[in-house]
Amino acid sequence: MTHLTDLDFFAGMAITGTVLGVDATSNLSTVQEVLGDHHFFEQPWEDGSTWEYAYCGYGLVEFGWGRKRGSDEWICQYSGTQNHRMIRATRRRARRTVGLQLRERYGRFRPVLNIEVLRGVVEDHGYSLDSTPEWPGADFSEFWVPGVSTTMTVAMSDPDWGPPGTVAKMLGGPHSEQHLNHKARVALDGEKKQFDAYGKELRKLTDAQRAEWLDEHQPAAGPDRDLWWSFLRSRFVSAENDQAPWTELKYALDREAAVRGIDTPDRAALKLLYWAGNAELPEPPTLDEAITQWLATTPTLEEGQRLAAATTLTPDEMRLSRRLRYQAHELRDHLPAITDSNLANALKSWTELGPQLLRYPYFG
């Protein structure tokens, strides 16, 4: 039997986004079944809040939850590890922080995890790390495996969080979209006024004129173009831009992003869900149309079942499994509103399969 180490655990979490097969797409009962049900703590209610919060605190590992008041369903908002709890702990306290379950599986955990050490293990498995310097501030940087929401928050100059390069946290949410927007925000932060002016100009154009404008202004194909599009669209999400003309512009840009390949076909279908039945659009898409498009752009259910049952996955299969698990989670809340029973049954099969993807301990 191969000897496992804490680096196997952390690399597996960075690559799969899961902790022993559970993550922020998992429900509370599944998390408690895997990690234990006696570490659930509800937070005090905040006056005026319509949400209440709780967390599953397992020491190093933590899951955060929220639910609307009056609801019985806790929704996971983040999951992962709080590595900083290990940095100055005594040896005995560090063992308690890691917990018996992880110690028995991976052995002793180091008090300080360096991002370059973790990068080396991740790259040895065939993956890469992307990063945003000085985010969320000058004292930190963020790193992640592309396509995985788990973010490694790395201390760069704040000694309270450890020596430079120390991984302070590894936390992820239930969706995979956040990193590109963060990177775009940093890269283009000085151009907000320019992009606001773009919005005012684009709002006045016809579809044909808008397409010509985009041809002239968007960067050449590559990462810079993706960042440019991410920032362009993110500038119109604010509350003051919720009136109908802005709504139509945002919808038009999503359609253009799909045509131009900025959004992959499956992601374009998920964005279409956001617009389904929107009364501010002259001809809004229907929910059934969006689900039909997603099913047409995703692998067959049989392929998904094969991935879920596999005990080894190539890097490409791992990325596909991660994407399908995220998307199955995003789609599940739409099931009750689908009018076509065949579509509903097809989607239900995917939402039931989603949690089974990446459940195998590929990295220990």
Side-chain angles (χ1 to χ4, degrees):
M1 180 178 177
T2 303
H3 176 65
L4 301 174
T5 72
D6 60 334
L7 286 178
D8 293 306
F9 170 76
F10 288 122
M13 199 174 84
I15 292 168
T16 70
T18 65
V19 176
L20 300 181
V22 291
D23 65 2
T25 69
S26 303
N27 58 37
L28 178 59
S29 62
T30 301
V31 171
Q32 292 182 325
E33 179 183 347
V34 173
L35 296 171
D37 60 3
H38 57 292
H39 299 278
F40 183 78
F41 306 97
E42 294 192 43
Q43 303 296 296
W45 284 10
E46 295 184 11
D47 292 341
S49 174
T50 59
W51 280 75
E52 52 185 321
Y53 300 95
Y55 71 96
C56 292
Y58 302 100
L60 176 64
V61 173
E62 183 174 296
F63 280 68
W65 307 89
R67 69 179 178 184
K68 289 186 177 180
R69 290 192 179 177
S71 171
D72 293 328
E73 182 184 11
W74 287 102
I75 300 170
C76 193
Q77 299 179 321
Y78 68 87
S79 67
T81 58
Q82 300 279 10
N83 301 52
H84 60 91
R85 292 172 180 164
M86 301 281 292
I87 293 175
R88 292 179 179 82
T90 63
R91 187 167 182 176
R92 177 180 292 182
R93 184 177 177 183
R95 292 179 64 194
R96 289 200 303 267
T97 300
V98 171
L100 181 62
Q101 186 178 21
L102 294 184
R103 291 203 320 271
E104 288 183 339
R105 190 178 190 92
Y106 296 97
R108 185 179 177 183
F109 276 60
R110 66 198 66 205
V112 175
L113 175 64
N114 182 272
I115 187 61
E116 294 306 322
V117 173
L118 181 58
R119 183 201 297 274
V121 180
V122 168
E123 291 180 347
D124 285 346
H125 283 292
Y127 301 84
S128 62
L129 289 183
D130 204 347
S131 65
T132 298
E134 298 188 358
W135 182 267
D139 291 331
F140 296 92
S141 292
E142 285 191 344
F143 294 77
W144 63 90
V145 173
V148 183
S149 73
T150 297
T151 298
M152 287 140 271
T153 302
V154 177
M156 303 306 293
S157 60
D158 188 337
D160 290 337
W161 292 88
T166 297
V167 179
K169 303 182 180 197
M170 295 180 66
L171 298 175
H175 305 293
S176 61
E177 291 272 296
Q178 58 183 355
H179 296 307
L180 187 61
N181 287 334
H182 284 181
K183 193 169 184 179
R185 198 177 298 123
V186 172
L188 300 170
D189 192 55
E191 301 184 39
K192 288 180 180 178
K193 291 183 178 180
Q194 180 65 68
F195 276 85
D196 287 343
Y198 287 165
K200 294 176 182 178
E201 185 175 354
L202 285 165
R203 197 177 63 167
K204 303 173 184 177
L205 303 180
T206 65
D207 287 347
Q209 290 170 333
R210 188 182 299 113
E212 291 181 4
W213 187 97
L214 291 167
D215 288 338
E216 294 175 1
H217 287 78
Q218 70 176 7
D224 287 345
R225 185 169 70 174
D226 292 342
L227 291 174
W228 186 89
W229 269 89
S230 176
F231 200 75
L232 178 68
R233 288 189 283 178
S234 72
R235 292 302 297 155
F236 311 132
V237 176
S238 57
E240 66 264 29
N241 291 341
D242 277 344
Q243 295 82 14
W246 290 105
T247 299
E248 293 175 25
L249 174 58
K250 288 184 281 187
Y251 179 49
L253 289 175
D254 279 351
R255 286 182 296 161
E256 283 285 347
V259 170
R260 294 163 184 267
I262 304 301
D263 293 333
T264 58
D266 56 324
R267 177 49 58 185
L270 290 179
K271 285 190 177 295
L272 202 61
L273 283 172
Y274 175 81
W275 299 108
N278 190 307
E280 294 183 5
L281 297 176
E283 297 181 7
T286 67
L287 177 62
D288 286 16
E289 287 172 345
I291 298 298
T292 298
Q293 182 172 322
W294 184 81
L295 289 170
T297 60
T298 206
T300 64
L301 184 64
E302 290 73 17
E303 172 64 4
Q305 292 168 335
R306 183 191 71 79
L307 293 171
T311 57
T312 60
L313 294 173
T314 66
D316 284 344
E317 289 173 331
M318 188 76 74
R319 295 183 187 100
L320 176 58
S321 297
R322 181 67 268 178
R323 175 167 63 81
L324 291 172
R325 180 162 166 157
Y326 281 133
Q327 293 185 355
H329 176 75
E330 290 184 52
L331 288 162
R332 64 173 188 162
D333 290 339
H334 296 284
L335 266 173
I338 298 175
T339 58
D340 186 312
S341 59
N342 291 328
L343 278 180
N345 289 333
L347 183 59
K348 183 179 180 182
S349 296
W350 271 108
T351 59
E352 291 174 346
L353 178 64
Q356 304 307 312
L357 295 161
L358 301 180
R359 289 296 299 274
Y360 186 81
Y362 305 98
F363 300 89

